[in-house]
Amino acid sequence: VQLVESGGGSVQAGGSLTLSCTASESTYRSICMAWFRQAPGSQRETVATVDSNGVTTVAGTVKGRFTLSKDNGRSTLYLQMNNLKTEDTAMYYCTADVCQLIRGGIPRYWGKGTQVTVS
């Protein structure tokens, strides 16, 4: 399973970024995918998840600001992040696995991560 993230960067508070995660088509269609994030000294947090039926969940800390979407033609998962806050600063990771492990916060397959810094 190969997951390739892009789209991180530095932005001022109130700004927007879109993260992308491209997976192989078989991975993309068959299992759950999710974005996790982790800031230095903080616990890892599940930001948003999507299952193979396209049902999404978004953490309460980002609800109303972050949107998870999929481009099936490109086997790509997007995380649109609006109204970013300094507390959103973290390394963001794209993950994939069976839904049980995603929901348990312990997926086996991870991208390398992309840094988001909000100042």
Side-chain angles (χ1 to χ4, degrees):
V1 176
Q2 187 173 13
L3 303 167
V4 180
E5 304 118 326
S6 61
S10 297
V11 65
Q12 291 188 336
S16 298
L17 285 172
T18 301
L19 305 184
S20 302
C21 174
T22 301
S24 63
E25 184 172 352
S26 59
T27 298
Y28 179 82
R29 294 186 181 279
S30 65
I31 55 178
C32 279
M33 297 182 71
W35 287 96
F36 285 73
R37 68 183 182 184
Q38 187 162 24
S42 298
Q43 285 192 330
R44 189 168 65 203
E45 178 185 17
T46 307
V47 178
T49 69
V50 59
D51 67 17
S52 57
N53 294 317
V55 177
T56 61
T57 63
V58 179
T61 53
V62 303
K63 190 167 288 186
R65 301 188 296 120
F66 290 14
T67 303
L68 190 64
S69 62
K70 300 173 75 175
D71 182 336
N72 293 332
R74 297 183 178 185
S75 300
T76 300
L77 187 68
Y78 298 101
L79 184 67
Q80 174 67 44
M81 305 184 295
N82 296 327
N83 190 22
L84 282 159
K85 303 177 180 181
T86 54
E87 52 262 43
D88 295 318
T89 295
M91 184 71 78
Y92 284 71
Y93 297 92
C94 179
T95 69
D97 210 323
V98 296
C99 295
Q100 183 176 7
L101 294 182
I102 289 282
R103 291 169 187 149
I106 50 171
R108 291 170 292 178
Y109 307 110
W110 293 74
K112 293 182 179 181
T114 185
Q115 178 69 37
V116 172
T117 302
V118 185
S119 59

